[in-house]
């Protein structure tokens, strides 16, 4: 979907072209994260395109969304086109490697959710360490940490999306002010979840500032 242009943007940023690919499984807030980014982009003066693909609607199904900024005309992100990847689950982050190019920033949750074939013994879950070593060797930079644990620490296990958004903002890779993203979070979050969501955002930002969470070629 294409979001309607905000008639009075709060900020005036150059119209940087940016393709953001978000991938995870149902129940992790992947789609909400893409929508929040889209709304914040409008506040920054963009006319973003936000696209969603549901592998399965229920928890555990693969969910992919994209946020496109700038003069780009398609909401799709083909092989080698993603500038930023947000991976909400370790294996799904690795599966997005084909969307990456040599300068892609990948922010990945190291926590795992075992897919059905693994749960019934028909397949093995790959080594997270080996997956991320391979990914780090092929992209611009990999920021990987346990976003699930930080979500629990915030008091909301479902706030993985807020953790990853906080990390993304802290990398300063977006042409969007942190204030615009936080304003959208405050507007779209129910009062009883607001404090935990903001704490999750801050914990993600702190994780991005920890050199031990980064892998670079």
């Amino acid at each position: 979907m294409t979001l309607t242009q905000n008639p009075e943007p709060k900020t005036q940023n150059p119209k940087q072209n940016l393709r953001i690919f978000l991938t995870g499984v149902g129940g992790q807030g992947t789609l909400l994260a893409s929508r929040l980014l889209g709304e914040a982009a409008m506040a920054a003066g963009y006319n973003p395109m936000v696209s969603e693909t549901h592998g399965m609607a229920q928890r555990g199904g693969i969910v992919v969304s994209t946020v496109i900024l700038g003069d780009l005309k398609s909401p799709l992100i083909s092989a080698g086109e993603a500038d930023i990847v947000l991976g909400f689950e370790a294996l799904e982050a690795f599966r997005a490697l084909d969307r990456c190019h040599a300068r892609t920033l990948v922010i990945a949750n190291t926590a795992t959710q075992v897919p059905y074939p693994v749960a019934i013994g028909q397949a093995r879950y790959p080594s997270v360490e080996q997956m991320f070593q391979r990914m780090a060797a092929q992209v611009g930079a990999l920021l990987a940490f346990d976003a699930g644990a930080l979500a629990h620490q915030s008091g909301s296990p479902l706030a993985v999306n807020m953790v990853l958004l906080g990390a993304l903002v802290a990398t300063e890779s977006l042409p969007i002010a942190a204030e615009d993203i936080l304003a959208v979070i405050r507007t779209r979050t129910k009062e009883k979840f607001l404090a935990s969501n903001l704490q999750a955002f801050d914990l993600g930002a702190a994780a991005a500032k920890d050199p031990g969470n980064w892998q670079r070629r």
Side-chain angles (χ1 to χ4, degrees), residues 96-121:
L97 181 56
D98 70 322
R99 308 301 174 105
C100 300
H101 53 69
R103 299 178 305 281
T104 301
L105 167 64
V106 179
I107 302 175
N109 182 12
T110 60
T112 63
Q113 290 197 26
V114 176
Y116 181 71
V118 174
I120 64 174

Side-chain angles (χ1 to χ4, degrees), residues 10 29 33-34 37 50 59-60 65 69 82 97 118 127 136 140 151 167 169 206 215:
K10 299 177 186 177
S34 63
L37 282 173
V50 179
R59 289 180 184 274
S65 59
L69 306 181
L97 181 56
V118 174
S127 163
V169 170
Q215 297 181 50

Side-chain angles (χ1 to χ4, degrees), residues 6-7 11 36 49 98 101 123 134 172 203:
N6 186 335
T11 58
L36 293 176
M49 290 182 287
D98 70 322
H101 53 69
R134 179 177 171 185
E172 300 183 353
L203 289 170

